[in-house]
Amino acid sequence: MLKAIYPGSFDPVTNGHLDIINRAVELCDSLVVAVARNSEKKNLFSAEERIQMLSSCCYKDNNKIEIVEFGGLLADYCVENGISVIVRGLRAIADFEFEYAMALMNKRLAPAVDTVFLIASNENSFVSSRIVREVVSLDGDVSSLVPSCILPLLKKRLRN
Ligand code: ADP
């Protein structure tokens, strides 16, 4: 039984994240989508809100996917929960350096756990949560970049 984890901030979830989730779930028996608490980052949405967005809009019917809140060391979480694969998405070369260091560190902390990278699909390769937040706050249209159910929440939070 191969258990994988896809950790991230998902602040907010984008179609790029959903693409990775949909592809990753086909490669494993179960996928934990781990929403980072990120106390050092200033998030637009609380961890509870980000979990709510992911679960109510996207995955309420898929029993292979579990959405959890997560703080602390990812490597520890993997070992404690029998997770053997960390999934990350790679967009451009800009992602690579950070992801490379992170994967090596996680390998050092938890040698039995491997990181697997899925290359972003063409249409999502420029999409990031940060760019989505920026465009919405300037009244731009992001309807093709995020799940439709989170659009009203985004606009409400960023335009008030
Ligand atoms: P973090 O705060 O760790 O950057 P994100 O939620 O932004 O968290 O991203 C989580 C993971 O999803 C990272 O591996 C990131 O590279 C990947 N990712 C983010 N946006 C996309 C996208 N548009 N296409 C593919 N992967 C993505």
Side-chain angles (χ1 to χ4, degrees), residues 6-10 16-17 20 41 88-89 91 95 99 120 124 127:
Y6 179 41
S9 304
F10 308 104
H17 294 127
I20 298 294
K41 260 197 193 176
R88 297 287 286 177
R91 282 160 294 189
D95 278 343
E99 296 291 346
N124 293 312
V127 180

Side-chain angles (χ1 to χ4, degrees), residues 8-23:
S9 304
F10 308 104
D11 188 37
V13 60
T14 68
N15 289 343
H17 294 127
L18 297 189
D19 176 49
I20 298 294
I21 292 171
N22 287 330
R23 287 156 61 196

Side-chain angles (χ1 to χ4, degrees), residues 3-8 30-37 51 65-87 106 109-110 112-113:
K3 205 169 168 185
I5 189 166
Y6 179 41
S30 72
L31 179 70
V32 176
V33 178
V35 177
R37 235 174 271 136
I51 288 173
I65 297 174
E66 185 190 359
I67 300 166
V68 302
E69 181 179 341
F70 138 88
L73 269 182
L74 181 62
D76 289 347
Y77 188 91
C78 290
V79 171
E80 283 158 17
N81 292 280
I83 292 166
S84 54
V85 171
I86 298 168
V87 175
N106 282 325
L109 294 169
V113 179

Side-chain angles (χ1 to χ4, degrees), residues 12 24 28 36-37 49 57 62 68 79 82 86 90-91 97 102 106 110-111 117 119 122 125 149:
C28 60
R37 235 174 271 136
E49 289 172 320
C57 299
N62 192 329
V68 302
V79 171
I86 298 168
L90 270 188
R91 282 160 294 189
E97 221 170 312
M102 202 62 183
N106 282 325
F117 295 101
I119 300 293
N122 235 345
S125 58
C149 56

